[in-house]
Amino acid sequence: MLLEERSVSRAADRMFMSQPALSAALSRLRRHFGDELLVRSGNKYVLSPLGTELLETVTQASGALTRVFSAQADFRPEESSREFRLVCSDYVSVVFGAALSRTLSAAAPNVMLRMDHVQDAIVDNAPDSLREIDGLILPHGYLEHLEFIDLFTDRWRCLVDASTAMSPLTVAELGARPWATTYSGRTAIVAATRALHLLGVYPQMQVTTRSFLTLPDVVAGTDRVAFVPESLVERFEQRRDVVAIDCPIAIPGIKQAFWWSPSHAQDAGHRWLRSKVADVAASLEQMPPTSTPSHD
């Protein structure tokens, strides 16, 4: 926590320690590593290069230890205060995570669900990186040789300013108009962009954001186009400045899945979590589509 907070006082508060005691601990760490770890810069402290390296290592080790001691042969959801950590895009946290949170709270009111944003390193270092989390929600096509639960399928729509949606969008316009796009760490937008490239369409990326939920704001009032998953469209329907329209080309659909490490297979708590994930996925499959599918 000391490296994370970069402040003795804040870290002491989080750890329920006195500042003198934590300052003494920092001094011992500095002697042990032969490094300052925290270096004053102006009126604040920043991490030294070694401190930065240690922060990542310690975070991973701490997560692993937490998982070791929270693993149980017998899991009682009504009594548990366990934290489950999922990694996903902001769009998935809205579409699936919110429903999962309600399901978990109903069955285990003291359980905590933590949803972190997907990062490239987690995907690139799988399956090792999955030992430190309870699950990664990611479309098919990025991971293999791991167990998974299919969650829901989606398709792409084009988001445009309402004033530019008076006529159907053409392939030529896709290439001529500027784009707003997401880069959320190996999201399915890559497959959609590849479909454009196969047609010889290389759109100008004018705005890039890590959040699908910011796309309406960067599209509104411009001639930009953005790909958005259809399941998010209903969140934008109250807005009058943007509208989602059908794409003029065939784009591969999105099939989201929940992936986990084999090391969690026999953990009773994780088995319970997987059962709830499967329940929510089944309930989403039974829901009617938000709109009538188009030709794509």
Side-chain angles (χ1 to χ4, degrees), residues 15-87:
M15 299 174 70
F16 302 101
M17 294 176 64
S18 68
Q19 291 188 34
L22 195 55
S23 293
L26 175 59
S27 296
R28 291 193 296 271
L29 288 171
R30 283 169 166 166
R31 288 195 299 272
H32 175 81
F33 288 106
D35 187 90
E36 285 296 297
L37 301 179
L38 290 176
V39 182
R40 181 172 288 279
S41 176
N43 61 353
K44 63 180 180 180
Y45 281 94
V46 297
L47 295 178
S48 69
L50 178 60
T52 302
E53 181 180 345
L54 286 175
L55 175 59
E56 181 177 353
T57 303
V58 169
T59 300
Q60 293 174 355
S62 176
L65 283 173
T66 299
R67 297 204 55 78
V68 168
F69 287 105
S70 64
Q72 299 169 304
D74 183 25
F75 181 76
R76 296 180 177 86
E78 67 281 358
E79 300 174 3
S80 177
S81 58
R82 179 167 169 174
E83 176 183 290
F84 291 105
R85 181 187 173 203
L86 304 186
V87 173

Side-chain angles (χ1 to χ4, degrees), residues 209-270:
T209 173
R210 292 190 65 83
S211 170
F212 281 96
L213 300 180
T214 62
L215 288 175
D217 292 311
V218 298
V219 166
T222 75
D223 60 347
R224 296 172 187 145
V225 182
F227 281 138
V228 293
E230 185 173 48
S231 58
L232 271 187
V233 169
E234 63 182 23
R235 271 78 180 180
F236 306 152
E237 286 179 345
Q238 300 301 320
R239 300 184 60 140
R240 297 182 179 275
D241 52 353
V242 294
V243 63
I245 60 178
D246 289 336
C247 299
I249 63 173
I251 303 175
I254 315 164
K255 190 172 185 179
Q256 297 282 0
F258 175 91
W259 310 80
W260 68 90
S261 167
S263 63
H264 304 331
Q266 302 307 314
D267 178 354
H270 200 275

Side-chain angles (χ1 to χ4, degrees), residues 20 50 96 102 124 130 134 215 246 252 287 294:
L50 178 60
F96 186 84
R102 292 190 291 270
D124 294 342
L130 270 61
D134 289 290
L215 288 175
D246 289 336
M287 293 176 62
S294 69

Side-chain angles (χ1 to χ4, degrees), residues 67-234:
R67 297 204 55 78
V68 168
F69 287 105
S70 64
Q72 299 169 304
D74 183 25
F75 181 76
R76 296 180 177 86
E78 67 281 358
E79 300 174 3
S80 177
S81 58
R82 179 167 169 174
E83 176 183 290
F84 291 105
R85 181 187 173 203
L86 304 186
V87 173
C88 59
S89 68
D90 65 330
Y91 133 65
V92 170
S93 69
V94 170
V95 174
F96 186 84
L100 179 63
S101 71
R102 292 190 291 270
T103 296
L104 296 188
S105 294
N110 296 319
V111 158
M112 177 179 176
L113 176 62
R114 172 181 169 187
M115 290 184 283
D116 291 338
H117 203 288
V118 63
Q119 300 290 330
D120 289 350
I122 294 176
V123 181
D124 294 342
N125 295 325
D128 291 342
S129 59
L130 270 61
R131 295 194 186 106
E132 303 160 18
I133 61 176
D134 289 290
L136 171 63
I137 300 180
L138 198 71
H140 282 271
Y142 298 94
L143 300 177
E144 57 184 14
H145 309 307
L146 287 172
E147 291 193 81
F148 61 88
I149 298 172
D150 282 328
L151 302 182
F152 63 95
T153 57
D154 221 330
R155 70 186 189 101
W156 293 108
R157 304 288 298 282
C158 287
L159 190 71
V160 298
D161 182 84
S163 66
T164 69
M166 306 308 293
S167 59
L169 195 63
T170 66
V171 174
E173 284 185 278
L174 290 181
R177 291 169 65 164
W179 278 71
T181 187
T182 54
Y183 181 74
S184 303
R186 304 297 192 268
T187 62
I189 195 70
V190 175
T193 305
R194 189 179 300 122
L196 290 175
H197 292 174
L198 290 175
L199 293 175
V201 178
Y202 296 87
Q204 172 196 355
M205 298 301 177
Q206 195 172 73
V207 176
T208 300
T209 173
R210 292 190 65 83
S211 170
F212 281 96
L213 300 180
T214 62
L215 288 175
D217 292 311
V218 298
V219 166
T222 75
D223 60 347
R224 296 172 187 145
V225 182
F227 281 138
V228 293
E230 185 173 48
S231 58
L232 271 187
V233 169
E234 63 182 23

